[in-house]
Amino acid sequence: MDVELRRIRLPFAAPFRTALGVQHDRDVLLVSVGTGDSTGWGECVAMNEPIYTSEYVSGAHAVIRDVLLPLLSGTTVTALTLGRLLASIQGHRMAKAALEMALLDAELRSSQISLATFLGAARDRVEVGVALGIDRDAARLVETVRKYVDRGYRRVKLKIMPGWDIEPVATVRDAFGSDLALQVDGNRAYGPAEMPRLSALDAFGLAMIEQPFADLVTHASFARTIHTPICLDESITSTEATRLALSLGSCSIVNIKPGRVGGYLEARRIHDLCVARGVPVWCGGMFETGLGRAANLALAALPGFTMPSDISESSRYFERDITDPFVLAPDGTIGVPSGPGIGVAPDPDRLAEVTMSVERFTI
Ligand code: OSB
Ligand code: MG
């Protein structure tokens, strides 16, 4: 099997500010595998720096090259056997997920099956929302929200942090009324001492508060004091972590990101567990290129994904993506690709333009 590790740099259409810092561009590791009759694409969602989780793009690149590929060398690895072959390696889920996505894409392309069909999709369009970063002031945030509402988004997620929470949420709720589905994401920026302040968010009819704290126990005690549902993101690293979070009562909604949990197969297992427990799920985003976006749309089409996902249209992230752009329909949905595999491929000219380095291996 031929494996290519390619680093690309895509500038963001606008900087994205959160409790984690400001992002100006995306340094993305793409994995492609050639299996004789087809090529598959995987995207590693690890960010430029280890600020969301401990993984970051250069680390993921190194672990794939120096640790994961050597373990696969001489085997007849498939997407379904990958997990077992890499089971001795702790963590590095985003790195593993990128390899799995590339293998899945290659295998499904050869058998002419779409990822959506393979995963068990129940629909051909999915409801999506937009995630908005920390703005200069609440008045400007209202203008930003208006731009996206006018564009057709029906669900808005606001990033919050200490010093940027109650006021911007109150101002946006006031400007748009109760029709707008609104939720917030704290990215672990709060401590237990800030629970009373966060409880004031109950006044704004939010669909959920996403991961305000770092750990499961703090979320569980917060959940007992507020009415707004709690959703976990960073804490959901596996099916086992999800089981633990649900039994502790740490959340009542789950954000599933395939990269964070080690791949689309584990993402589906978490979905299945949540469906069995009656817990709604939605698909989170990591500023993916069109490749990861295509695969996330397939996942978000599963029946348990009953809340709008962080899968905005391509132009929200990049002036020019590496695939044909995904576009929002007036009803706030994006279509699920139906072609074999992930259903999209990079445009070779655009890919060449944004490529910083390429390494090739035969394993
Ligand atoms: O916390 O959901 C998050 C992006 C990078 C890292 C973490 C998060 C996010 C987002 C962006 O919220 C969502 C998107 O891709 O539109
Ligand atoms: Mg989040």
Side-chain angles (χ1 to χ4, degrees), residues 52-72:
Y52 165 70
T53 67
S54 59
E55 287 190 84
Y56 70 111
V57 62
S58 295
H61 189 159
V63 85
I64 291 177
R65 183 187 54 217
D66 302 337
V67 180
L68 306 186
L69 292 181
L71 278 174
L72 304 180

Side-chain angles (χ1 to χ4, degrees), residues 32-210:
S32 75
V33 298
T35 55
D37 58 347
S38 64
T39 298
W41 289 93
E43 172 170 347
C44 181
V45 301
M47 295 180 69
N48 300 16
E49 287 160 347
I51 51 176
Y52 165 70
T53 67
S54 59
E55 287 190 84
Y56 70 111
V57 62
S58 295
H61 189 159
V63 85
I64 291 177
R65 183 187 54 217
D66 302 337
V67 180
L68 306 186
L69 292 181
L71 278 174
L72 304 180
S73 174
T75 70
T76 48
V77 59
T78 66
L80 295 177
T81 61
L82 181 72
R84 221 173 40 237
L85 288 165
L86 302 182
S88 61
I89 304 305
Q90 303 306 302
H92 296 288
R93 294 183 172 88
M94 294 175 185
K96 293 177 179 177
L99 275 174
E100 185 203 77
M101 178 179 158
L103 288 168
L104 269 176
D105 186 34
E107 291 162 23
L108 293 170
R109 275 181 208 267
S110 348
S111 40
Q112 295 289 306
I113 296 169
S114 72
L115 179 62
T117 300
F118 168 78
L119 291 173
R123 54 184 90 91
D124 58 13
R125 309 196 61 81
V126 302
E127 275 185 67
V128 303
V130 64
L132 301 179
I134 314 284
D135 224 318
R136 194 177 53 216
D137 54 54
R140 202 172 84 156
L141 179 64
V142 167
E143 292 318 303
T144 308
V145 173
R146 195 177 312 283
K147 181 176 117 187
Y148 287 102
V149 167
D150 288 350
R151 177 85 201 139
Y153 289 96
R154 295 185 177 175
R155 186 229 72 175
V156 172
K157 161 170 139 180
L158 303 179
K159 291 287 184 176
I160 58 168
M161 60 190 278
W164 179 264
D165 42 34
I166 311 298
E167 193 211 341
V169 171
T171 309
V172 169
R173 181 52 95 205
D174 192 50
F176 295 92
S178 55
D179 278 357
L180 181 65
L182 201 58
Q183 63 195 61
V184 296
D185 183 357
N187 284 112
R188 297 177 297 135
Y190 292 85
E194 285 145 321
M195 277 190 211
R197 179 174 176 80
L198 281 174
S199 298
L201 290 172
D202 260 349
F204 306 111
L206 301 178
M208 71 192 79
I209 302 177
E210 180 179 342

